[in-house]
Amino acid sequence: MPQYRVTGGEITLEEILPPPAPPSLPPPPPPVVTRPQLLGTHIYPGLVRSDADLARYDFVQYHPYTAEDIATFGQVPRLRTLRPSIKVLAYYHVHGQWDWQADWATINAHEVWFVHAANGARILAGSGAGWWLMDMSNPEFLAYVNQRIVNILDTYGFDGLSQDGPFPMLSNDRSIWPGYNQTIPDAVITAWPQWAVGQIRSTRQALGTRMNITNTTPWIEALWLPNWMDTLFLPYVDGTAMEGFAHPYWSLSTEYIGEATWDWQMVQYQRKLDAGKLFYMLSGVDDYPSGDVRKRWQVFTFASYMLKADGRLAVYSWSDKGPTTVYFPEMDENFGASLGAATKIGGVWQRDFANQRVFVNPSESETRSRDGITLLPMTAQIVPS
């Protein structure tokens, strides 16, 4: 199994981009897409999902950590009988390891695999079920986790990996980063971007042709440098995920990201499509609001997604924290073929399909109108063409 060792020196874009491909024939035109939406969901132990529900989705992610998680992997063949085209991904978190996961005894026995504070203590992110920060410059650790991932994919027939992270950078700033129980050494913070790129490359090599999706596109610009880090990561992944698209699933129904952040997210969305990479968007709500309030955010986030949905690379997922399903009827609308790109007039975004029209008002304060449709702030409508 190939191993990757991080070496000294600053990683630059020119150093890590693969060489240009030799000249070839022009690619064939993309197929005509008549179902522009692609839908994704997660499977957790204890969450009962009917066949009719699971058959709706194009992408399914499993969380493979505890024995209870692993017991659900036998469902992978069943998913393919429900929807032959489905892509089933195994979730894994490389840069942080939990002490309740099935292979913790092996990890815990290798002290050099952990990042340590100045006092020699391991560094824990969060509290309770938080994860331990790992030294991704250690080639033995990378070889171990890469082999574990490959074994899981091979044993259970997954199509690829859904990797949570890695964070492109670290910080001791508690206002925007997870709280750590120790101060991260400056040397680790400085080296971390190189470690992150090295890990992505190493895992790409281990996976071969299997899908590699990383949760590395931030939901807000202040978190890190997406224009730099995404560019460095993209050659080694098939796509990236954004947790918090249009409305984060950790936010209350009374909260909103704001129009400026919504605009910024749409720019990131377009960047992935332009690069030919899959973009997996996760939206939701943290509390359990009334049906009308929850429906408002479901339609708003899904309509925002539909402004650029292409039936090939853009994937939408909704996640309630309340006791509800992750599906709502608008996800199955028969939109038909796209009639063109979305346009903005009077602050309202609109995109027309053969069977439906999508309108989105991302303003946090202004009621706006377009083409006979009036939209309150932070709302959207999907209407027949």
Side-chain angles (χ1 to χ4, degrees), residues 288-299:
Y288 185 46
S290 67
D292 289 345
V293 174
R294 188 168 66 256
K295 174 64 70 175
R296 166 195 170 191
W297 287 120
Q298 288 173 337
V299 174

Side-chain angles (χ1 to χ4, degrees), residues 87-102:
K87 298 296 182 184
V88 190
L89 306 177
Y91 171 97
Y92 205 90
H93 194 281
V94 174
H95 72 274
Q97 300 286 304
W98 284 277
D99 54 19
W100 44 261
Q101 62 195 61

Side-chain angles (χ1 to χ4, degrees), residues 43 150 175 182 231-232 243 246 268 339 352 367:
I43 288 183
V150 169
S175 65
Q182 304 283 341
T231 301
L232 295 183
E243 289 186 289
Q268 304 310 308
L339 302 183
D352 293 343
T367 297

Side-chain angles (χ1 to χ4, degrees), residues 4-11 95 115 133-138 142 166-171 184-201 228-229 232-233:
Y4 174 72
R5 182 182 297 277
V6 176
T7 58
E10 181 180 357
I11 290 181
H95 72 274
V115 172
L133 191 63
M134 308 306 295
D135 183 350
M136 294 198 301
S137 72
N138 186 296
L142 288 183
F167 291 156
M169 60 184 286
L170 291 181
S171 171
I184 303 171
D186 290 341
V188 173
I189 291 175
T190 299
W192 188 266
Q194 296 183 50
W195 294 7
V197 174
Q199 185 266 303
I200 291 291
R201 291 202 292 185
W228 177 58
M229 293 310 301
L232 295 183
F233 285 171

Side-chain angles (χ1 to χ4, degrees), residues 333-348:
E333 286 281 3
N334 178 15
F335 286 86
S338 171
L339 302 183
T343 60
K344 180 183 180 182
I345 296 177
V348 174

Side-chain angles (χ1 to χ4, degrees), residues 99-364:
D99 54 19
W100 44 261
Q101 62 195 61
D103 62 333
W104 176 249
T106 300
I107 295 167
N108 191 44
H110 295 79
E111 195 63 40
V112 295
W113 290 3
F114 293 83
V115 172
H116 298 89
N119 63 3
R122 297 177 183 178
I123 298 176
L124 179 67
S127 60
W131 42 262
W132 298 94
L133 191 63
M134 308 306 295
D135 183 350
M136 294 198 301
S137 72
N138 186 296
E140 185 184 32
F141 170 68
L142 288 183
Y144 170 78
V145 293
N146 286 339
Q147 189 60 58
R148 176 163 167 75
I149 290 168
V150 169
N151 288 346
I152 290 172
L153 269 55
D154 288 346
T155 301
Y156 300 100
F158 288 102
D159 295 293
L161 171 68
S162 172
Q163 182 180 337
D164 197 349
F167 291 156
M169 60 184 286
L170 291 181
S171 171
N172 286 307
D173 183 350
R174 300 295 194 269
S175 65
I176 59 174
W177 289 87
Y180 298 99
N181 69 338
Q182 304 283 341
T183 299
I184 303 171
D186 290 341
V188 173
I189 291 175
T190 299
W192 188 266
Q194 296 183 50
W195 294 7
V197 174
Q199 185 266 303
I200 291 291
R201 291 202 292 185
S202 171
T203 302
R204 171 76 279 170
Q205 291 173 339
L207 291 176
T209 59
R210 285 167 289 204
M211 293 188 72
N212 185 23
I213 309 298
T214 56
N215 182 16
T216 50
T217 299
W219 69 279
I220 189 170
E221 188 172 12
L223 285 179
W224 49 68
L225 305 173
N227 290 338
W228 177 58
M229 293 310 301
D230 254 7
T231 301
L232 295 183
F233 285 171
L234 286 181
Y236 307 104
V237 302
D238 299 291
T240 69
M242 174 188 283
E243 289 186 289
F245 177 74
H247 193 276
Y249 60 75
W250 57 84
S251 293
L252 300 176
S253 57
T254 55
E255 299 173 324
Y256 175 53
I257 61 176
E259 185 170 10
T261 295
W262 185 93
D263 286 339
W264 182 85
Q265 289 186 351
M266 298 302 286
V267 171
Q268 304 310 308
Y269 187 171
Q270 188 63 54
R271 287 183 66 237
K272 305 310 175 296
L273 300 186
D274 290 344
K277 302 294 183 177
L278 185 140
F279 193 45
Y280 198 115
M281 288 153 276
L282 296 99
S283 305
V285 64
D286 186 60
D287 50 357
Y288 185 46
S290 67
D292 289 345
V293 174
R294 188 168 66 256
K295 174 64 70 175
R296 166 195 170 191
W297 287 120
Q298 288 173 337
V299 174
F300 178 79
T301 58
F302 183 67
S304 297
Y305 156 77
M306 288 303 303
L307 291 176
K308 296 181 181 294
D310 64 352
R312 297 184 305 114
L313 298 173
V315 183
Y316 173 86
S317 178
W318 172 268
S319 175
D320 265 353
K321 290 293 184 71
T324 63
T325 65
V326 295
Y327 164 81
F328 51 92
E330 285 77 7
M331 295 166 74
D332 270 342
E333 286 281 3
N334 178 15
F335 286 86
S338 171
L339 302 183
T343 60
K344 180 183 180 182
I345 296 177
V348 174
W349 286 89
Q350 177 179 344
R351 187 180 183 192
D352 293 343
F353 296 87
N355 303 325
Q356 305 287 338
R357 295 186 299 162
V358 176
F359 297 86
V360 179
N361 176 14
S363 171
E364 55 262 59

